[in-house]
CSV table of all heavy atoms in Angstrom, one decimal:
chain,number,residue,atom,x,y,z
S,190,GLN,N,12.6,-25.7,-2.1
S,190,GLN,CA,11.2,-25.6,-2.6
S,190,GLN,C,11.1,-26.0,-4.0
S,190,GLN,O,11.6,-25.3,-4.9
S,190,GLN,CB,10.7,-24.2,-2.4
S,190,GLN,CG,9.3,-24.0,-2.8
S,190,GLN,CD,8.2,-24.7,-1.9
S,190,GLN,OE1,8.6,-25.2,-0.9
S,190,GLN,NE2,7.0,-24.6,-2.3
S,191,PRO,N,10.5,-27.1,-4.4
S,191,PRO,CA,10.6,-27.6,-5.8
S,191,PRO,C,9.5,-27.1,-6.6
S,191,PRO,O,8.9,-27.9,-7.4
S,191,PRO,CB,10.5,-29.1,-5.5
S,191,PRO,CG,9.6,-29.3,-4.4
S,191,PRO,CD,9.8,-28.1,-3.5
S,192,ILE,N,9.2,-25.8,-6.5
S,192,ILE,CA,8.1,-25.3,-7.3
S,192,ILE,C,8.6,-23.9,-7.9
S,192,ILE,O,9.0,-23.0,-7.2
S,192,ILE,CB,6.8,-25.0,-6.5
S,192,ILE,CG1,6.3,-26.2,-5.9
S,192,ILE,CG2,5.7,-24.4,-7.4
S,192,ILE,CD1,5.1,-26.0,-4.9
S,193,VAL,N,8.6,-23.9,-9.3
S,193,VAL,CA,9.0,-22.6,-9.9
S,193,VAL,C,7.9,-22.3,-11.0
S,193,VAL,O,7.2,-23.2,-11.4
S,193,VAL,CB,10.4,-22.7,-10.6
S,193,VAL,CG1,11.5,-22.9,-9.6
S,193,VAL,CG2,10.4,-23.8,-11.7
S,194,VAL,N,7.8,-21.0,-11.3
S,194,VAL,CA,6.8,-20.6,-12.3
S,194,VAL,C,7.5,-19.9,-13.5
S,194,VAL,O,8.4,-19.1,-13.3
S,194,VAL,CB,5.9,-19.6,-11.6
S,194,VAL,CG1,4.9,-19.0,-12.7
S,194,VAL,CG2,5.1,-20.3,-10.5
S,195,GLU,N,7.1,-20.3,-14.6
S,195,GLU,CA,7.6,-19.7,-15.9
S,195,GLU,C,6.7,-18.6,-16.3
S,195,GLU,O,5.5,-18.8,-16.4
S,195,GLU,CB,7.7,-20.8,-17.0
S,195,GLU,CG,8.1,-20.3,-18.3
S,195,GLU,CD,8.0,-21.4,-19.4
S,195,GLU,OE1,7.6,-22.5,-19.1
S,195,GLU,OE2,8.3,-21.1,-20.6
S,196,ILE,N,7.3,-17.4,-16.6
S,196,ILE,CA,6.6,-16.3,-17.0
S,196,ILE,C,7.2,-15.6,-18.2
S,196,ILE,O,8.3,-16.0,-18.6
S,196,ILE,CB,6.5,-15.2,-15.9
S,196,ILE,CG1,7.9,-14.6,-15.6
S,196,ILE,CG2,5.9,-15.8,-14.6
S,196,ILE,CD1,7.9,-13.4,-14.7
S,197,LYS,N,6.5,-14.7,-18.9
S,197,LYS,CA,7.0,-13.9,-19.9
S,197,LYS,C,7.0,-12.4,-19.5
S,197,LYS,O,6.0,-12.0,-18.9
S,197,LYS,CB,6.2,-14.1,-21.2
S,197,LYS,CG,6.4,-15.4,-21.9
S,197,LYS,CD,7.7,-15.4,-22.6
S,197,LYS,CE,7.8,-16.6,-23.6
S,197,LYS,NZ,7.1,-16.5,-24.8
S,198,VAL,N,8.1,-11.7,-19.7
S,198,VAL,CA,8.2,-10.3,-19.3
S,198,VAL,C,8.5,-9.5,-20.5
S,198,VAL,O,9.5,-9.8,-21.3
S,198,VAL,CB,9.3,-10.1,-18.2
S,198,VAL,CG1,9.4,-8.7,-17.8
S,198,VAL,CG2,9.1,-11.1,-17.1
S,199,ASP,N,7.7,-8.4,-20.8
S,199,ASP,CA,8.0,-7.6,-22.0
S,199,ASP,C,9.0,-6.5,-21.7
S,199,ASP,O,9.5,-6.4,-20.5
S,199,ASP,CB,6.7,-7.1,-22.6
S,199,ASP,CG,6.0,-6.1,-21.6
S,199,ASP,OD1,6.6,-5.6,-20.7
S,199,ASP,OD2,4.8,-5.8,-21.9
S,200,SER,N,9.2,-5.6,-22.6
S,200,SER,CA,10.2,-4.6,-22.5
S,200,SER,C,9.8,-3.5,-21.5
S,200,SER,O,10.6,-2.7,-21.1
S,200,SER,CB,10.4,-3.9,-23.9
S,200,SER,OG,9.2,-3.4,-24.4
S,201,GLN,N,8.5,-3.5,-21.1
S,201,GLN,CA,8.0,-2.5,-20.1
S,201,GLN,C,7.9,-3.0,-18.7
S,201,GLN,O,7.4,-2.4,-17.8
S,201,GLN,CB,6.7,-1.9,-20.6
S,201,GLN,CG,6.7,-1.3,-21.9
S,201,GLN,CD,7.6,-0.1,-22.0
S,201,GLN,OE1,7.6,0.8,-21.1
S,201,GLN,NE2,8.5,-0.1,-23.0
S,202,GLY,N,8.3,-4.3,-18.5
S,202,GLY,CA,8.3,-4.9,-17.2
S,202,GLY,C,7.0,-5.6,-16.9
S,202,GLY,O,6.9,-6.1,-15.8
S,203,LYS,N,6.1,-5.6,-17.8
S,203,LYS,CA,4.8,-6.3,-17.6
S,203,LYS,C,5.0,-7.8,-17.8
S,203,LYS,O,5.8,-8.2,-18.7
S,203,LYS,CB,3.7,-5.7,-18.5
S,203,LYS,CG,3.5,-4.2,-18.2
S,203,LYS,CD,2.5,-3.7,-19.2
S,203,LYS,CE,2.3,-2.2,-19.0
S,203,LYS,NZ,1.4,-1.6,-20.0
S,204,SER,N,4.2,-8.6,-17.2
S,204,SER,CA,4.4,-10.0,-17.2
S,204,SER,C,3.1,-10.8,-17.2
S,204,SER,O,2.0,-10.3,-16.8
S,204,SER,CB,5.2,-10.5,-16.0
S,204,SER,OG,4.6,-10.1,-14.8
S,205,VAL,N,3.2,-12.0,-17.7
S,205,VAL,CA,2.1,-13.0,-17.7
S,205,VAL,C,2.6,-14.4,-17.4
S,205,VAL,O,3.7,-14.7,-17.7
S,205,VAL,CB,1.4,-13.0,-19.1
S,205,VAL,CG1,0.7,-11.7,-19.4
S,205,VAL,CG2,2.3,-13.4,-20.2
S,206,PRO,N,1.8,-15.2,-16.7
S,206,PRO,CA,2.3,-16.5,-16.3
S,206,PRO,C,2.1,-17.5,-17.5
S,206,PRO,O,1.2,-17.3,-18.3
S,206,PRO,CB,1.4,-16.9,-15.2
S,206,PRO,CG,0.1,-16.2,-15.4
S,206,PRO,CD,0.5,-14.8,-16.0
S,207,ILE,N,3.1,-18.4,-17.6
S,207,ILE,CA,3.0,-19.4,-18.7
S,207,ILE,C,2.8,-20.8,-18.2
S,207,ILE,O,1.9,-21.5,-18.7
S,207,ILE,CB,4.3,-19.3,-19.5
S,207,ILE,CG1,4.6,-17.9,-20.1
S,207,ILE,CG2,4.3,-20.3,-20.7
S,207,ILE,CD1,3.5,-17.4,-21.0
S,208,SER,N,3.6,-21.2,-17.2
S,208,SER,CA,3.4,-22.5,-16.7
S,208,SER,C,4.0,-22.6,-15.3
S,208,SER,O,4.7,-21.7,-14.8
S,208,SER,CB,4.1,-23.5,-17.6
S,208,SER,OG,5.5,-23.4,-17.5
S,209,MET,N,3.8,-23.7,-14.7
S,209,MET,CA,4.3,-24.0,-13.3
S,209,MET,C,5.0,-25.4,-13.3
S,209,MET,O,4.4,-26.3,-13.8
S,209,MET,CB,3.2,-23.9,-12.3
S,209,MET,CG,3.6,-24.2,-10.8
S,209,MET,SD,2.3,-23.9,-9.6
S,209,MET,CE,1.0,-25.1,-10.2
Side-chain angles (χ1 to χ4, degrees):
Q190 179 71 5
I192 303 172
V193 297
V194 174
E195 177 187 359
I196 67 173
K197 286 288 189 74
V198 184
D199 66 15
S200 59
Q201 300 301 310
K203 299 174 183 177
S204 57
V205 292
I207 302 300
S208 71
M209 176 173 62

